[in-house]
Amino acid sequence: MPASSSSSGVTWFWDGEERVRTLTERLGVETFDQHLAGDTLLQEATGVRRLPGNLIDVPARRFASGADSLAHGLAAGLPTEALRLATPVTAIRRRAAGGLEVRTPDAVLHAEHVVLAVPPALALARIDFGPELPAELARLARATPVWMGVVAKVVARCPAAFWRGEGLAGAAVSRTGPLRELHDMSGPDGSPAALFGFAAAQDVGPGFERAVIAQLGQLFGPVAAEPESLHVQDWSGEPWTAPPDAHRLADHSLFGHPLYQRPALDGRLHWASTETATRYTGHIEGALAAGERAARTVLAPTTDEVNTCFR
Ligand SMILES: Cc1cc2nc3c(=O)[nH]c(=O)nc-3n(C[C@H](O)[C@H](O)[C@H](O)COP(=O)(O)OP(=O)(O)OC[C@H]3O[C@@H](n4cnc5c(N)ncnc54)[C@H](O)[C@@H]3O)c2cc1C
C-alpha cells in the first residue's frame, strides 16, 4: 500500500453512515460538527449575491485529526509484518497449485484470497492480470470512474474564521470558478480557520493559485485574499489514486455493478473499493461496506468445505 495524501481528501461523514460512526467510536477517533450557521454566497458572472441560510451544507461530522486517523487506527491493530507501505502490487496471477500469486517490485507472495481495495480502473492500469481476468470484467473495471478522481481540492488557511462574524457560513457556489463550491473547513470552534473548495482538476495549471486567491477576495473580501497558506491537491495527478485516463471515465452507472459483488479468478479475487459498493458509493461508508462484503465472502465456507463438514 503506497502512502497517500490525507487532509486534502475526505472532509465529512454524514448521518446514517453507521459504519464510519461505529469505527470512530471503536478507534477513539475524535469528531466534531461541521459548522453550518450563516448565509451562502452565489458567484455569477455578474457578481456575488448573498442568499439567506446555508443552502449547500447538510449536518455532517468532521474528523478532529483528519480522516486518515481511521486508517492509522485500523493499521495499529494489525501485526507489524502484515502492512507493507510503499509497496505497490504489480501483478496478480492464478497459481497452478491453487490460490493467487501477488507480485510487488521486490517480492512474490502466495495468497489464498486477494481483496482489491483499489479503484477498479486504477487496478487495471497498474496491476498486470495477464489474460486471466474475464474480458467483461476487465472492460467494466477499465470503464468505472474513480470517485472524485478528477477533482482538485484547495484549502486556504486563514488567520481567523472572520466570515462567521459576518453571518456567513463559509459556504459558496460559483458559476465562474475556478473553485465551484466552497465550505468552511475550520477546526473545532473555528480554529485553525480554513476555507476549502473543489475545482475541476483540468483547471489546475499556471495561474490557478492566483485565480483562486482573486476568487476568495471577490467572495469573502480582502482578508480572504491573503490566506496564511494555500494547499492545492490535484487528485487526478496522484498515480495511486487515479489512472492516467481518469478524465475519460464518466459512466457513474457502473458504480456498484453486479460483477463487483462476486469474486473473480476462481472465487479468489474480491473487489472492495468504494466504487464497488452498492450503497454510499464514493464515501468512506461505501469503502467500509465493500470491505465487509469482501471479508464475508472470504470467510464464508466454500461448497467443498461445507460438503466436507456433512460427509
Ligand atoms: C477531494 C476528495 C474529497 C472527498 N471527500 C469525501 C468526504 O468528505 N467524505 C467521504 O466519505 N468521502 C470523501 N471522498 C471519497 C473518499 O476519499 C473515498 O470514498 C475513499 O478514500 C475510498 O476508499 P478506498 O479504500 O475505496 O480507496 P482509496 O482511498 O483510493 O485507497 C486505495 C489505496 O490503495 C493504494 N493502492 C493503489 N494502487 C495500489 C497498488 N497497485 N498496490 C498497492 N496499493 C495500491 C492507494 O495508495 C490507496 O492507499 C473524497 C474524495 C476526494 C478525492
Side-chain angles (χ1 to χ4, degrees):
M1 183 201 289
S4 67
S5 203
S6 60
S7 63
S8 37
V10 171
T11 311
W12 306 289
F13 68 100
W14 293 271
D15 285 354
E17 299 194 332
E18 286 303 306
R19 290 176 183 83
V20 188
R21 190 188 55 77
T22 308
L23 190 61
T24 57
E25 286 170 9
R26 177 152 72 82
L27 297 175
V29 166
E30 218 179 297
T31 64
F32 64 98
D33 282 331
Q34 166 69 29
H35 175 80
L36 296 177
D39 293 340
T40 307
L41 297 173
L42 172 65
Q43 184 176 36
E44 297 172 299
T46 47
V48 175
R49 282 197 288 150
R50 182 171 178 148
L51 305 175
N54 188 338
L55 304 180
I56 63 169
D57 289 309
V58 294
R61 299 287 291 171
R62 303 261 314 280
F63 305 90
S65 307
D68 59 350
S69 47
L70 292 180
H72 289 302
L74 286 170
L78 295 173
T80 350
E81 68 281 4
L83 198 61
R84 300 189 186 200
L85 294 174
T87 308
V89 170
T90 54
I92 297 177
R93 295 290 167 78
R94 264 199 197 97
R95 291 181 72 218
L100 298 174
E101 182 179 285
V102 177
R103 293 190 188 182
T104 72
D106 51 14
V108 178
L109 311 167
H110 296 157
E112 289 295 313
H113 292 269
V114 170
V115 175
L116 210 49
V118 173
L122 181 67
L124 269 284
R126 305 264 175 238
I127 301 173
D128 179 3
F129 291 93
E132 292 175 344
L133 216 53
E136 194 190 352
L137 179 58
R139 259 197 314 276
L140 166 69
R142 279 200 192 93
T144 304
V146 176
W147 181 261
M148 299 201 55
V150 289
V151 163
K153 182 170 171 180
V154 179
V155 181
R157 191 162 166 171
C158 305
F162 62 88
W163 55 90
R164 295 187 184 181
E166 297 166 13
L168 291 170
V173 177
S174 172
R175 300 212 166 109
T176 61
L179 301 180
R180 302 282 163 181
E181 187 185 304
L182 291 96
H183 305 268
D184 185 321
M185 200 187 159
S186 308
D189 303 319
S191 175
L195 291 164
F196 90 85
F198 293 121
Q202 63 201 25
D203 290 346
V204 179
F208 176 76
E209 292 196 9
R210 218 174 327 114
V212 165
I213 285 175
Q215 183 185 19
L216 288 171
Q218 287 151 15
L219 281 164
F220 293 99
V223 181
E226 290 185 7
E228 289 175 341
S229 67
L230 195 71
H231 180 73
V232 179
Q233 175 66 51
D234 171 3
W235 286 98
S236 72
E238 286 295 320
W240 304 109
T241 294
D245 65 347
H247 289 98
R248 283 196 314 105
L249 310 178
D251 186 354
H252 288 216
S253 75
L254 301 178
F255 287 145
H257 192 282
L259 280 184
Y260 292 133
Q261 312 311 312
R262 48 179 192 263
L265 299 186
D266 307 326
R268 307 280 182 177
L269 184 75
H270 308 262
W271 300 92
S273 80
T274 193
E275 288 81 5
T276 70
T278 51
R279 295 186 65 209
Y280 305 104
T281 313
H283 294 183
I284 307 182
E285 180 75 8
L288 293 175
E292 272 176 18
R293 186 234 314 125
R296 263 198 310 273
T297 316
V298 171
L299 296 174
T302 61
T303 317
D304 282 355
E305 283 164 346
V306 172
N307 287 343
T308 312
C309 287
F310 289 97
R311 234 174 248 153

